[in-house]
Amino acid sequence: KYLRHPNCSAGCLVVSYAGRKGFRNPDGGPNLSFDQVIARLKAKAAEVQTQQGGRIRLTVVGLDLR
């Protein structure tokens, strides 16, 4: 909702990674790679879009700075 126009129905989450820390798996499995984190976030965004009946558009962009 930060800097969001009241009529906005699209959003983009930009995630950057500089390689300093790993990513803990919330399901308790082995740690995730940056690509796996981005894939999970994209899947969640697609799920939310479907739940909203296509009224909103969401995307996730990963910037690997290593």
Side-chain angles (χ1 to χ4, degrees), residues 6-17:
N7 297 331
C8 180
S9 61
C12 178
L13 174 64
V14 178
V15 181
S16 65
Y17 178 56

Side-chain angles (χ1 to χ4, degrees), residues 15-26 29-38 40-41 63-64 66:
V15 181
S16 65
Y17 178 56
R20 292 190 189 102
K21 294 184 179 181
F23 300 93
R24 189 182 67 210
N25 189 333
N31 285 348
L32 302 173
S33 69
F34 182 64
D35 290 334
Q36 290 171 317
V37 170
I38 297 302
R40 289 174 69 111
L41 291 171
L63 297 175
D64 192 341
R66 293 178 286 172

Side-chain angles (χ1 to χ4, degrees), residues 38-49:
I38 297 302
R40 289 174 69 111
L41 291 171
K42 285 183 177 185
K44 183 62 176 175
E47 178 185 326
V48 171
Q49 283 183 141

Side-chain angles (χ1 to χ4, degrees), residues 1-10 55-56:
K1 295 182 181 180
Y2 176 69
L3 294 177
R4 187 178 78 116
H5 188 276
N7 297 331
C8 180
S9 61
R55 292 188 336 241
I56 62 171

